[in-house]
Amino acid sequence: DTAVSQTPKYLVTQMGNDKSIKCEQNLGHDTMYWYKQDSKKFLKIMFSYNNKELIINETVPNRFSPKSPDKAHLNLHINSLELGDSAVYFCASSQDSRGSEAFFGQGTRLTVV
Amino acid sequence: GESVGLHLPTLSVQEGDNSIINCAYSNSASDYFIWYKQESGKGPQFIIDIRSNMDKRQGQRVTVLLNKTVKHLSLQIAATQPGDSAVYFCAERQRQLTFGSGTQLTVLP
């Protein structure tokens, strides 16, 4: 049983395309997150949702739009992909809204060509 | 702005030796700290945490030390094994988790 699962694991796409990454957690957590990890392994939070409501939205281009249909799912849709969007995107979840003991998914490696 | 940083980007240790990974943080308002381990191709995995009202916490083969006076956090791994090779991140929490830049630990045979 995978606690936090995200799909796809790899995504290669052309500039200008629109793509989505899906995330699901079966831990019963109230809060879910999206993080971006760059080529230097730096992890930066993008969004945080608590019980389907957006609570953190860091400085992220509005081409990135998170969608939470229920508290077990947090999907990330990206419009008009750019080369600089290439990174590994991690979904995570935690019981509280402040990141305590967050559990991470396996990551989605996005490559924009 | 506030940030979490690591003293060394890479660390190599002999198998069986102890490892110490250091982390400096700058926000004195942080109340909670976590160490994560990230193996190649995987997501970060929780190792151990510590609250700001503590200065030491021990787990299985790992110990986290917190020195609030100098805003320093360290992770000690006893009897380092090949499976410990990974990138280690410290993270501090204020409104949310903020991660440091990571240290690559390599265990030599």
Side-chain angles (χ1 to χ4, degrees), chain B residues 9-58:
Chain B
T10 61
L11 177 66
S12 296
V13 297
Q14 292 293 138
E15 183 178 353
D17 286 354
N18 297 335
S19 303
I20 300 176
I21 302 171
N22 295 304
C23 177
Y25 67 95
S26 55
N27 193 328
S28 56
S30 295
D31 65 347
Y32 177 68
F33 304 86
I34 308 179
W35 280 99
Y36 280 90
K37 172 187 181 183
Q38 186 179 18
E39 296 174 273
S40 181
K42 296 185 178 180
Q45 179 184 9
F46 174 91
I47 303 173
I48 192 168
D49 58 1
I50 188 167
R51 300 195 181 277
S52 59
N53 61 354
M54 304 169 69
D55 53 21
K56 181 178 180 179
R57 189 154 190 236
Q58 287 185 291

Side-chain angles (χ1 to χ4, degrees), chain A residues 23-37:
Chain A
C23 179
E24 175 181 6
Q25 55 96 2
N26 62 7
L27 297 166
H29 286 166
D30 289 336
T31 307
M32 295 185 72
Y33 310 85
W34 278 107
Y35 282 83
K36 179 180 180 180
Q37 187 172 48

Side-chain angles (χ1 to χ4, degrees), chain A residues 88-108:
Chain A
V88 182
Y89 292 84
F90 286 99
C91 177
S93 73
S94 66
Q95 185 55 52
D96 67 25
S97 62
R98 296 179 64 205
S100 303
E101 205 172 333
F103 288 79
F104 283 77
Q106 295 278 46
T108 296

Side-chain angles (χ1 to χ4, degrees), chain B residues 21-107:
Chain B
I21 302 171
N22 295 304
C23 177
Y25 67 95
S26 55
N27 193 328
S28 56
S30 295
D31 65 347
Y32 177 68
F33 304 86
I34 308 179
W35 280 99
Y36 280 90
K37 172 187 181 183
Q38 186 179 18
E39 296 174 273
S40 181
K42 296 185 178 180
Q45 179 184 9
F46 174 91
I47 303 173
I48 192 168
D49 58 1
I50 188 167
R51 300 195 181 277
S52 59
N53 61 354
M54 304 169 69
D55 53 21
K56 181 178 180 179
R57 189 154 190 236
Q58 287 185 291
Q60 188 176 13
R61 282 201 308 118
V62 294
T63 301
V64 56
L65 299 178
L66 175 62
N67 185 332
K68 293 182 287 294
T69 302
V70 296
K71 298 193 185 97
H72 184 266
L73 193 68
S74 68
L75 177 70
Q76 300 178 359
I77 305 174
T80 313
Q81 301 169 359
D84 295 327
S85 291
V87 176
Y88 289 80
F89 294 94
C90 67
E92 63 175 320
R93 187 186 71 182
Q94 305 137 43
R95 190 170 64 102
Q96 70 217 23
L97 277 184
T98 300
F99 282 79
S101 54
T103 293
Q104 173 71 58
L105 175 66
T106 301
V107 181

Side-chain angles (χ1 to χ4, degrees), chain A residues 10-77:
Chain A
Y10 300 97
L11 183 54
V12 181
T13 187
Q14 290 187 325
M15 283 174 53
N17 283 351
D18 303 338
K19 290 293 179 185
S20 292
I21 307 171
K22 295 185 177 182
C23 179
E24 175 181 6
Q25 55 96 2
N26 62 7
L27 297 166
H29 286 166
D30 289 336
T31 307
M32 295 185 72
Y33 310 85
W34 278 107
Y35 282 83
K36 179 180 180 180
Q37 187 172 48
D38 63 22
S39 58
K40 296 181 181 178
K41 299 286 188 181
F42 186 67
L43 264 169
K44 185 172 172 58
I45 191 167
M46 301 172 68
F47 300 104
S48 170
Y49 268 74
N50 182 259
N51 277 317
K52 303 193 297 175
E53 291 191 15
L54 180 67
I55 56 173
I56 291 174
N57 182 350
E58 293 297 304
T59 309
V60 177
N62 57 15
R63 298 181 294 105
F64 290 79
S65 53
K67 293 281 193 303
S68 182
D70 55 61
K71 76 172 193 177
H73 295 83
L74 181 62
N75 304 322
L76 183 65
H77 189 74

